[in-house]
Amino acid sequence: STVTAQTPDSRPNVLITFASLDASPLYRFFNPTSGDHFYSITDTVPPQGYVAEGIAAYVYPNANTQGVAPLHRFFNSVNGDHFYSIDPTVPLGYVYECVCCYFFRSQVVSSVPFYRFLNPTSGDHFYSTDPTVPAGYVSEGICCYVRPSANPFGTFSPSNQCTTDATGKCSV
């Protein structure tokens, strides 16, 4: 997206280019019976005993945003785990399900790491923007980069984002 704004004193327009601001929620669900965490861009609770846990992060529903890449979803029918990866190669013991959503492979302005954790006892994978390792899990590092909110830049307004000095230089 491109934002063009007039400075408060009518000087030439300021042109700022961002990655799309239209990020969608990535919902997290939990199945207390199987111990599996499931992630989806739809807020419809999956069948088979899942309960909604809220929004895990903000991602993109398609590849229309510059710089995004697919996040692949896999399923292990033995332990009931859903695994998400930037790598489309099917991990041993899993079957490919789909592209879950789109995200950033590397950090961009206003993106945050999306950490992957593994519960070695249950085999469950848990993903979060919080780097704190949950009890019973071990860190597997950064899975990808996501938005912390739908519009992490807030509302753009030249009067509250750009201050001009006596020479007319704009500073944010």
Side-chain angles (χ1 to χ4, degrees), residues 33-36 50 74-83 91-95 97 120-125:
T33 303
S34 70
D36 180 48
Y50 285 89
F74 306 92
F75 180 68
N76 182 320
S77 62
V78 175
N79 67 6
D81 179 50
H82 283 91
F83 177 74
L92 184 62
Y94 287 80
V95 295
E97 285 195 330
T121 304
S122 70
D124 177 50
H125 285 89

Side-chain angles (χ1 to χ4, degrees), residues 31-43:
N31 185 321
T33 303
S34 70
D36 180 48
H37 285 90
F38 181 84
Y39 299 80
S40 176
I41 57 173
T42 64
D43 63 355

Side-chain angles (χ1 to χ4, degrees), residues 41-66:
I41 57 173
T42 64
D43 63 355
T44 304
V45 177
Q48 297 98 22
Y50 285 89
V51 294
E53 288 193 330
I55 297 171
Y58 287 82
V59 295
Y60 297 91
N62 55 51
N64 294 341
T65 299
Q66 182 178 353

Side-chain angles (χ1 to χ4, degrees), residues 21-146:
L21 302 179
D22 301 324
S24 299
L26 179 64
Y27 297 95
R28 181 173 53 229
F29 302 94
F30 179 67
N31 185 321
T33 303
S34 70
D36 180 48
H37 285 90
F38 181 84
Y39 299 80
S40 176
I41 57 173
T42 64
D43 63 355
T44 304
V45 177
Q48 297 98 22
Y50 285 89
V51 294
E53 288 193 330
I55 297 171
Y58 287 82
V59 295
Y60 297 91
N62 55 51
N64 294 341
T65 299
Q66 182 178 353
V68 297
L71 184 63
H72 304 276
R73 184 173 73 214
F74 306 92
F75 180 68
N76 182 320
S77 62
V78 175
N79 67 6
D81 179 50
H82 283 91
F83 177 74
Y84 301 80
S85 177
I86 60 174
D87 185 350
T89 305
V90 179
L92 184 62
Y94 287 80
V95 295
Y96 186 85
E97 285 195 330
C98 66
V99 169
C100 173
C101 59
Y102 293 81
F103 66 96
F104 298 103
R105 286 186 183 268
S106 57
Q107 191 133 32
V108 298
V109 173
S110 199
S111 69
V112 296
F114 200 46
Y115 299 95
R116 181 171 57 223
F117 304 98
L118 169 67
N119 182 320
T121 304
S122 70
D124 177 50
H125 285 89
F126 177 78
Y127 302 79
S128 177
T129 56
D130 183 348
T132 306
V133 179
Y137 287 78
V138 295
S139 176
E140 290 193 332
I142 297 171
C143 174
C144 60
Y145 292 86
V146 296

Side-chain angles (χ1 to χ4, degrees), residues 145-162:
Y145 292 86
V146 296
R147 297 285 189 208
S149 65
N151 183 353
F153 302 106
T155 302
F156 180 79
S157 168
S159 61
N160 67 16
Q161 297 292 322
C162 182

